[in-house]
Amino acid sequence: MARRPTPPGTPEATGLAHVADLVRTAIPPLHPAGLPFVAAPLAVAVVGVRRKWIRRTGLLAAAACAAFFRHPHRVPPNRPGVVVSPSDGEVALVDTAVPPAELGLGDTPLPRVSIFLSVLDVHVQRVPVSGAVTEIVYKKGEFRSADLPEASDANERNTMVLETEAGQRLAVVQIAGLLARRIICEAKVGDKLTIGDTYGLIRFGSRVDTYFPAGTKLLVYPGQRTIGGETVLAELDS
């Protein structure tokens, strides 16, 4: 006899819904850019289903790619004037530096926080502060290890400039790393973005630099771990 569907509102249905919610909470969704990287090894596992080592290799590769392209939900703080981390990772530098030359922002060093992302970190980038996109510049470059200081100037990069309602300008730089070969930026000039929203992704090891207006109070230190969209990097000068 066929099993009847569980009616909504029954204890069993409520329990299944609770389990489904727990699974959705424990397993973050996949960024769309990762779908081909997960689908390919899964296809290999299906084709090689009769060969244990092929099946296992395909499944492990698919799981690794799904973990790399995970896109967890984040809740940014609602305090006015704060700048959140654009990415997960480890703070590599807290200093002052001249912004990328291609932006034409001048030669005056500005406060900077540089975050290194290992292959184990979440690799989506999030908007550090609400504002309008005034400029996006892509520059070809090398693929040196992203944890080296010179990577900020030498490596392939994509820079987005944001302007807040108060007229403060910040630059966020996606920097390719030793293994990275693709920078994705979904934002466009003229877009109005909200703090914490996802706007891009770098594949397989990278670095993200944030340049702040002069007078910004930086609140992090080298070696600190950051959570993209949630960790407060700085407070803007009011």
Side-chain angles (χ1 to χ4, degrees), residues 72-78 84 126 195-196 227-231:
H73 176 66
R74 298 288 166 76
V75 180
N78 56 11
V84 299
R126 301 175 188 271
I195 184 172
I227 298 175
E230 294 187 352
T231 300

Side-chain angles (χ1 to χ4, degrees), residues 94-96 111-113 212 216-220 233-235:
V94 178
D95 59 4
T96 58
R112 175 181 67 171
V113 173
F212 304 86
T216 299
K217 180 182 179 181
L218 302 183
L219 302 176
V220 291
L233 296 185
E235 291 179 352

Side-chain angles (χ1 to χ4, degrees), residues 144-168:
R144 301 182 186 181
S145 179
D147 60 346
L148 298 175
E150 57 266 28
S152 293
D153 297 320
N155 284 22
E156 175 184 324
R157 60 183 179 266
N158 185 83
T159 305
M160 177 177 70
V161 179
L162 290 165
E163 185 171 332
T164 69
E165 289 186 356
Q168 296 156 314

Side-chain angles (χ1 to χ4, degrees), residues 114-138:
S114 182
I115 298 171
F116 173 70
L117 294 74
S118 76
V119 293
L120 300 179
D121 288 312
V122 173
H123 267 63
V124 298
Q125 280 78 61
R126 301 175 188 271
V127 181
V129 65
S130 296
V133 180
T134 61
E135 194 170 2
I136 294 178
V137 181
Y138 168 78

